[in-house]
Amino acid sequence: MNAPDTDPAEVPRSALADTVLTRLTAAYGAAADPERAAAMRAYMKDTVPFLGIPAPARRALSRAVLAGTARPDETDCRAVALRCWALPEREYHYFAADYLRRHAGRCSSSFLPVVRHLLTTVSWWDTVDTLAVHVVGPLVAADRSLAPVMDTWAAADDPWLVRAALLHQLRYRERTDAERLFAHCLSSAGHRDFFVRKAIGWALREYARTDPQAVHDLLAREGGRFAPLTVREALKHAGG
């Protein structure tokens, strides 16, 4: 477990991370395709460089990299994620996000600051969404004392933290704290950022699968506060 005052960007020692990163950089590096990389970078609005490995090939390479490796503990997860994030190409960040998704249950609540660092470093929707739904979500579900941290994120200046707070309950279904979800949605209803407005609609749309009436009622009362895009997204499964 990480000490509370540990710098979340500090990379711990991990023999497992040494093995994984050695294999990973060799496998991904050999599969790089500069022409495809340029197209992928353009598609992602030139936010980050790519190696040019399409998703199916990347997943196959990742399975080969991890074959025979031990199950990680929290220190290993932290080391793998931070070392991948320090590499420039986006495929390494995808590997880290998928690795944490797979092993989120092996991490304690003290891992949340590390995830926050990842969310706010080289940020774009492609990694933020995986981390929010499949890492932050399970961490908060396992320790409900972390829920107030989501309130802080929902009010943050960083739109990616706001998006993460909005989306962390996306797979909770009947376990959703609807009061908190709706409060986060309303507090960001007039947000200037497209990705936040889109996330509100996505979060409400997903919760509408569980309680369509609650979402319909919210929009009937407060729909004028939301962007048209948000309302359209939210109503897809709410009977509107």
Side-chain angles (χ1 to χ4, degrees), residues 28 37 48-52 84-94:
Y28 277 19
V48 284
F50 282 81
L51 290 167
C84 284
W85 232 257
L87 297 171
E89 292 86 7
R90 197 55 157 180
E91 287 88 345
Y92 295 116
H93 307 167
Y94 293 156

Side-chain angles (χ1 to χ4, degrees), residues 6 15 24 34 57 62 75 81 83 111 128 149 164 167 169 186 192 195 201 205 212 220 226:
T6 299
L24 180 64
S62 298
T75 296
R83 288 177 64 175
F111 195 71
V128 166
V149 179
L167 297 181
Q169 296 194 78
L186 288 168
R192 67 187 183 281
F195 290 105
R205 182 182 77 215
F226 294 111

Side-chain angles (χ1 to χ4, degrees), residues 40-120:
M40 293 170 73
R41 181 168 185 162
Y43 176 75
M44 295 300 290
K45 309 298 185 183
D46 203 33
T47 53
V48 284
F50 282 81
L51 290 167
I53 307 173
R58 174 173 55 81
R59 294 188 185 105
L61 288 171
S62 298
R63 288 193 294 269
V65 165
L66 293 173
T69 59
R71 296 179 69 189
D73 61 18
E74 184 171 321
T75 296
D76 298 322
C77 288
R78 177 177 177 173
V80 168
L82 291 173
R83 288 177 64 175
C84 284
W85 232 257
L87 297 171
E89 292 86 7
R90 197 55 157 180
E91 287 88 345
Y92 295 116
H93 307 167
Y94 293 156
F95 178 90
D98 289 342
Y99 193 78
L100 294 182
R101 174 179 180 170
R102 180 179 180 183
H103 298 294
R106 303 185 65 79
C107 297
S108 70
S109 56
S110 62
F111 195 71
L112 190 61
V114 178
V115 186
R116 186 187 191 282
H117 170 75
L118 302 178
L119 288 166
T120 56

Side-chain angles (χ1 to χ4, degrees), residues 78-212:
R78 177 177 177 173
V80 168
L82 291 173
R83 288 177 64 175
C84 284
W85 232 257
L87 297 171
E89 292 86 7
R90 197 55 157 180
E91 287 88 345
Y92 295 116
H93 307 167
Y94 293 156
F95 178 90
D98 289 342
Y99 193 78
L100 294 182
R101 174 179 180 170
R102 180 179 180 183
H103 298 294
R106 303 185 65 79
C107 297
S108 70
S109 56
S110 62
F111 195 71
L112 190 61
V114 178
V115 186
R116 186 187 191 282
H117 170 75
L118 302 178
L119 288 166
T120 56
T121 306
V122 199
S123 308
W124 200 242
W125 63 264
D126 52 347
T127 53
V128 166
D129 292 358
T130 299
L131 293 172
V133 177
H134 300 292
V135 185
V136 176
L139 290 174
V140 176
D143 182 357
R144 298 302 293 182
S145 72
L146 295 177
V149 179
M150 297 299 99
D151 300 339
T152 302
W153 288 13
D157 291 333
D158 189 322
W160 299 112
L161 284 180
V162 178
R163 184 172 170 99
L166 287 162
L167 297 181
H168 83 278
Q169 296 194 78
L170 205 69
R171 297 292 180 261
Y172 281 19
R173 297 183 173 86
E174 292 80 6
R175 298 177 298 134
T176 300
D177 180 343
E179 182 178 355
R180 176 166 268 115
L181 170 63
F182 292 169
H184 290 173
C185 291
L186 288 168
S187 69
S188 299
H191 204 284
R192 67 187 183 281
D193 188 86
F194 167 83
F195 290 105
V196 170
R197 298 194 301 271
K198 184 79 169 180
I200 297 170
W202 185 13
L204 292 176
R205 182 182 77 215
E206 192 63 27
Y207 185 57
R209 296 177 184 272
T210 298
D211 192 344

